[in-house]
Amino acid sequence: MLAERPEGKPTEKTFRLEKATLPAVKDGELLVRGVYYSVDPYMRGRMSDRKSYAQPFKLDAPIEGSVVAEVLESKTNEIRKGDLVTGRMPWRREMIVPAAGVKKIDASFISPSAYLGLLGMTGLTAYVGMIVIGKPKAGETVVVSGAAGAVGSVAGQIAKLSGCRVIGIAGSDEKIDLLKKDFGFDEGINYKTEKDIKAAIAKLCADGVDIYFDNVGGAVSDAVLFNLNFHARVPLCGQISGYNDTDPGQGPRLGPILLTRSVLMQGFIVGNYQQYFAEGISKLTQWVKEGKLKNQETIVNGFENLPSAFLALFEGGNTGKMVVKA
Ligand SMILES: NC(=O)c1ccc[n+]([C@@H]2O[C@H](COP(=O)([O-])OP(=O)(O)OC[C@H]3O[C@@H](n4cnc5c(N)ncnc54)[C@H](OP(=O)(O)O)[C@@H]3O)[C@@H](O)[C@H]2O)c1
């Protein structure tokens, strides 16, 4: 559960493990055991008690997130013992959930954990951000930051499937290799070792940048934004570089670039695009089945390691979707 509201970077002390007893299962409810738990950067925002698009987590109560769970007992006709379901659930080893709040998953062609990533919230985020907001056209140049993560790796692959040239920015040489060899990115930049990211982008994108899919914000994004083309689109997906900041600081003033180049920069929260979910899941599933879209995950074993897996997101400890296996 959430033991404190962190100032700056959360630590292991932000979390507490406690024992609890569960009541009996009532009609319309399920007793489930968590199998895979999602840890996500947005959870950092919910640990703070400030106004945002999602309610803050309650102090001294279980953190909640997306979970894939096995049904141990069912008091509904639609879902049976042994079924795998996914939905928003508390971080408990076993829990009682309303059957109406979960859905059964088909794990016949992909790992059940994919419903927390590629075929879940992060895959849909990549789809909505790239297709609905970015509107990629064949031949365009696309830059993705946070490129080796859950959203970024899928966003980059979708841009490739749309016929674009794709440059990924990530935090290690191993990640850059993975982007190029496994996900088909054309080029990559390691932002931790590259001294002049602005110049590196200019060199790799001689014709400028048409879409910048921004997962990280901060200095990395400033460097990319200087290279935008006329009528470029910037789906503003995440700003992880600043999630633990107590002072947002001052970056370069990019207004003139956005204005004079008629750039469209649009922040979005995936939950506000539910009208695209059926289309997005159908497309993502089709690409997976056709072998055109790769699923990458980092699996951390042990329910008790949920905090360390979450904290590792801020240190680049994952490639693809970070998932905890109970
Ligand atoms: N708008 C929405 O609806 C929506 C939905 C889902 C996610 N998001 C956002 O999208 C972004 C990616 O989420 P995700 O779930 O796919 O996470 P993720 O990319 O799988 O994991 C986070 C990654 O961010 C990178 N990172 C950490 N600190 C950084 C820093 N200071 N500067 C640059 N990169 C840093 C790390 O990779 P490196 O090794 O490359 O540093 C880390 O692996 C996050 O900002 C998240 O909040 C938004």
Side-chain angles (χ1 to χ4, degrees):
M1 55 178 64
L2 185 67
E4 62 168 16
R5 297 213 181 276
E7 276 290 313
K9 224 175 199 174
T11 66
E12 293 277 347
K13 282 196 188 133
T14 304
F15 307 86
R16 191 170 68 234
L17 197 56
E18 275 195 8
K19 282 202 168 132
T21 26
L22 291 173
V25 188
K26 296 202 283 281
D27 280 348
E29 290 183 338
L30 308 168
L31 172 66
V32 301
R33 180 189 293 137
V35 184
Y36 292 104
Y37 297 76
S38 181
V39 290
D40 295 272
Y42 77 83
M43 292 171 165
R44 173 64 188 89
R46 294 195 65 189
M47 288 171 184
S48 296
D49 193 6
R50 58 172 176 250
K51 196 165 177 272
S52 184
Y53 65 93
Q55 287 291 315
F57 290 131
K58 289 200 177 77
L59 211 49
D60 299 318
I63 288 168
E64 54 153 44
S66 296
V67 178
V68 167
E70 183 189 352
V71 177
L72 302 178
E73 189 183 336
S74 170
K75 291 259 173 105
T76 170
N77 292 330
E78 292 75 38
I79 297 174
R80 284 183 296 186
K81 186 177 175 199
D83 282 344
L84 285 176
V85 295
T86 186
R88 298 197 69 76
M89 301 181 206
W91 282 6
R92 293 178 187 271
R93 291 179 202 269
E94 291 183 7
M95 49 252 165
I96 292 171
V97 294
V102 301
K103 61 174 196 242
K104 276 202 269 187
I105 59 169
D106 172 10
S108 62
F109 66 100
I110 198 161
S111 162
S113 51
Y115 288 86
L116 302 178
L118 185 63
L119 299 181
M121 189 273 283
T122 55
L124 282 169
T125 302
Y127 183 85
V128 166
M130 188 55 80
I131 296 291
V132 180
I133 298 171
K135 296 188 173 53
K137 292 194 269 301
E140 288 191 321
T141 300
V142 175
V143 175
V144 180
S145 58
V151 175
S153 61
V154 179
Q157 290 185 82
I158 293 174
K160 280 308 295 177
L161 286 165
S162 307
C164 299
R165 192 163 164 271
V166 182
I167 289 88
I169 306 177
S172 73
D173 290 346
E174 292 72 29
K175 289 188 179 185
I176 300 301
D177 275 353
L178 179 86
L179 292 179
K180 294 205 274 190
K181 289 195 186 120
D182 284 25
F183 299 138
F185 284 51
D186 297 282
E187 298 288 350
I189 296 172
N190 176 350
Y191 74 92
K192 288 188 178 163
T193 54
E194 175 56 61
K195 298 228 162 33
D196 187 344
I197 302 172
K198 183 177 159 189
I201 296 277
K203 195 169 159 210
L204 291 177
C205 309
D207 295 329
V209 176
D210 299 299
I211 299 178
Y212 172 45
F213 193 108
D214 185 9
N215 280 313
V216 306
V220 168
S221 293
D222 293 342
V224 182
L225 294 171
F226 277 112
N227 289 286
L228 291 179
N229 278 337
F230 194 74
H231 278 164
R233 286 84 70 203
V234 183
L236 211 50
C237 176
Q239 299 282 289
I240 193 169
S241 70
Y243 290 175
N244 294 319
D245 285 355
T246 44
D247 170 9
Q250 170 74 61
R253 296 185 194 277
L254 294 160
I257 289 180
L258 305 182
L259 170 70
T260 55
R261 299 184 199 171
S262 296
V263 171
L264 175 71
M265 184 187 245
Q266 188 177 334
F268 72 101
I269 298 298
V270 66
N272 295 333
Y273 287 79
Q274 303 213 5
Q275 67 271 35
Y276 294 100
F277 284 11
E279 167 195 314
I281 289 295
S282 152
K283 272 280 173 201
L284 293 164
T285 305
Q286 180 196 329
W287 287 326
V288 168
K289 287 184 172 171
E290 290 172 354
K292 292 178 178 165
L293 185 58
K294 290 209 174 131
N295 185 32
Q296 175 80 22
E297 295 170 340
T298 300
I299 307 264
V300 171
N301 281 305
F303 175 85
E304 66 285 0
N305 291 322
L306 273 162
S308 59
F310 168 76
L311 296 172
L313 290 172
F314 299 91
E315 308 296 336
N318 61 307
T319 53
K321 181 77 188 91
M322 182 72 112
V323 171
V324 173
K325 187 172 187 208

